[in-house]
Amino acid sequence: MGKRKTPHVLLILAVLLLAASALTWIIPAGSYQRAFNEATGQTVVLPGSFAYTEPAPVAPWRLPSLVFEAFSTGPAPKLIFFVFFLGGAFEVILESGAVAALCAWVARRFAGRRAWLVPAFVGVFSVFGFTMGLTTASIVFLPLGIAAARSLGYDAGTGMAMVMLGTNAGFAAGIYNPFSVGIAQTIAELPLYSGAWLRWLLLAVLVAATSAYILYRAGRPGEGEGFLLPEPAPFTLRQGLVLALLLGALALVVWGVSARGWSVGEIAAVFLVLGLLCGAAAGFGANQVCALLAAGCRKMVAGGLTIGMAAALRLVLVQGGILDSVIYSLLLLVERLPTWANLLGMFYANALLDLLITSGSGHAAVAMPLMVPLADALDLSRQSAVLAFQLGDGLVNLVSPISNTLVGCLALAEMSYSKWLRYFLPLVGIYLAIGTGFMLLAGAVRY
């Protein structure tokens, strides 16, 4: 028998589209009244205003046109091209060799202090997760992490965990992650990357917990396996310039978001310019820079399609008149519970959903249209709803066997899925405890 293939996220979303179309014929249509709140700049649901309406089922043959409509109108096009600009800039940065040189420098720097190598790698790779949301970077740099771990007497599993769990910790914290927090806050009509203070605190806790767990599971380093980390090429001035430009761009985005209220367009422009400047700093010709930008965009096509398909799913529920009906039914189930229980319910529900939809953008586009009006009706802050999605999406991401990042990393490390689960599931329990604590904190401070 051939190896069983896991379903692509687009296939999962296509099935959900068909299911949503069928549900518009079954679930009674209804709607809440909504009003624009000038103080917050948000369109909010008016509690207690739900009423059933005339049915408006969506026929299956209308789905292709609705998919096109979702791709060409609303917030989806901006988010898709934002992802393209980000991918193009990151491709130029990777091609320069600056990131590989930085990781090799970190490995050499901590060669004499084994206990610090793990948190150093986890911290470095968390940056990829919380700035660009690129968990696939784990696959690119996995051989380097394995080599660094083996050179110090640790096994390949420890090297894989340093890279993959570090990236995922940053993704879960999601401070400036465009694929999870960025999309979720856009749907929730929140200022982009607002509420970052709690996510910075979350990042520190996740990096510390992840590093401690990896060191605990690694145990005492052995005598080594006769495997030496290859001598890296000298860190060049051009690579230093590329890293300086990257750090400068991130600082500019932080300033623009906090001081100027920048949105997707301004941030995308920063990354487009970053890609051009990094190409020049790396000594690439104009043709090579253009080719790298295009290559980076190509790698993000699947992510862009995911955003559009998920937007189409929301469009079907809205045009079929059942989105508010589903929200009303959920509200009847949870409205008698205390606030902390509502927030935890959102968190755990998203953790379960992530086993089926491991794409951060796809998960956000499916979950947030339900969670935002539900949060309004329950008198919960939208920022807390985003946090519940973000934690549910990130903390259990590497459990699902349909995660492309997980499958790729396991193949490179020659580790079975069952062995990975034995390694990772105790950490998932720790992550869920951390997530529970942060959801309770969010409810207590009215985050």
Side-chain angles (χ1 to χ4, degrees):
M1 292 179 64
K3 187 175 180 181
R4 187 176 168 184
K5 293 184 177 179
T6 56
H8 196 282
V9 63
L10 293 179
L11 177 59
I12 294 173
L13 289 172
V15 171
L16 289 176
L17 268 177
L18 290 171
S21 172
L23 288 174
T24 63
W25 295 83
I26 300 171
I27 298 176
S31 67
Y32 280 101
Q33 295 179 23
R34 288 170 168 80
F36 182 76
N37 187 323
E38 294 185 0
T40 62
Q42 299 169 344
T43 302
V44 298
V45 167
L46 299 179
S49 64
F50 179 82
Y52 288 105
T53 60
E54 289 293 321
V58 176
W61 53 85
R62 290 186 55 204
L63 293 180
S65 62
L66 290 178
V67 168
F68 180 79
E69 183 178 343
F71 271 91
S72 56
T73 60
K78 287 186 177 181
L79 291 173
I80 291 170
F81 282 99
F82 176 51
V83 167
F84 285 169
F85 283 19
L86 202 65
F90 191 69
E91 187 72 12
V92 175
I93 293 168
L94 285 181
E95 185 66 21
S96 73
V99 175
L102 174 63
C103 293
W105 178 85
V106 169
R108 290 289 173 184
R109 178 73 174 173
F110 291 95
R113 290 173 285 178
R114 290 174 171 175
W116 288 98
L117 176 70
V118 171
F121 258 74
V122 171
V124 167
F125 280 96
S126 72
V127 176
F128 291 104
F130 76 74
T131 58
M132 301 182 183
L134 293 176
T135 54
T136 50
S138 302
I139 300 174
V140 177
F141 294 104
L142 194 63
L144 179 63
I146 292 174
R150 281 177 168 168
S151 70
L152 300 179
Y154 294 117
D155 60 11
T158 299
M160 180 181 77
M162 291 191 310
V163 176
M164 188 166 65
L165 295 183
T167 307
N168 192 70
F171 185 93
I175 303 168
Y176 303 110
N177 184 347
F179 298 103
S180 61
V181 171
I183 292 175
Q185 288 187 331
T186 299
I187 294 172
E189 297 180 313
L190 292 169
L192 194 61
Y193 301 139
S194 55
W197 68 270
L198 188 63
R199 297 195 296 276
W200 277 112
L201 178 61
L202 175 63
L203 176 70
V205 172
L206 289 178
V207 168
T210 302
S211 301
Y213 181 81
I214 294 173
L215 284 169
Y216 171 76
R217 291 301 300 262
R220 293 177 62 85
E223 297 301 320
E225 304 176 31
F227 190 102
L228 296 177
L229 189 63
E231 188 68 34
F235 200 91
T236 67
L237 176 61
R238 288 188 180 278
Q239 290 170 340
L241 287 174
V242 170
L243 290 177
L245 286 169
L246 174 58
L247 291 174
L250 294 177
L252 180 60
V253 167
V254 172
W255 173 81
V257 169
S258 59
R260 296 290 183 180
W262 282 2
S263 60
V264 172
E266 291 86 357
I267 298 172
V270 169
F271 279 101
L272 175 60
V273 174
L274 174 65
L276 297 174
L277 292 178
C278 285
F284 299 152
N287 279 342
Q288 186 178 3
V289 172
C290 292
L292 288 171
L293 290 174
C297 290
R298 282 196 297 273
K299 291 181 179 180
M300 294 296 169
V301 166
L305 291 174
T306 299
I307 293 171
M309 286 288 285
L313 177 60
R314 180 184 186 279
L315 194 59
V316 170
L317 296 176
V318 170
Q319 292 204 5
I322 66 169
L323 178 63
D324 285 358
S325 298
V326 172
I327 295 163
Y328 179 67
S329 299
L330 291 173
L331 181 62
L332 293 178
L333 291 174
V334 301
E335 63 181 353
R336 297 183 184 276
L337 298 175
T339 299
W340 62 267
N342 292 330
L343 287 174
L344 291 182
M346 287 183 175
F347 166 45
Y348 298 141
N350 276 281
L352 290 174
L353 181 59
D354 193 63
L355 298 177
L356 296 176
I357 306 178
T358 58
S359 163
S361 55
H363 188 163
V366 169
M368 289 309 300
L370 290 173
M371 292 178 61
V372 169
L374 184 61
D376 289 346
L378 292 170
D379 194 29
L380 302 173
S381 74
R382 294 188 178 189
Q383 200 73 266
S384 294
V386 170
L387 182 67
F389 148 74
Q390 163 200 339
L391 291 173
D393 174 58
L395 295 181
V396 300
N397 206 286
L398 296 177
V399 171
S400 176
I402 64 174
S403 166
N404 292 329
T405 298
L406 176 59
V407 171
C409 287
L410 291 179
L412 279 175
E414 298 180 343
M415 179 184 287
S416 68
Y417 176 66
S418 59
K419 184 177 180 181
W420 168 249
L421 286 184
R422 288 194 296 272
Y423 180 94
F424 184 54
L425 284 180
L427 182 58
V428 172
I430 296 172
Y431 280 167
L432 291 176
I434 292 172
T436 299
F438 270 84
M439 290 312 305
L440 293 175
L441 174 62
V445 301
R446 295 292 294 174
Y447 174 64

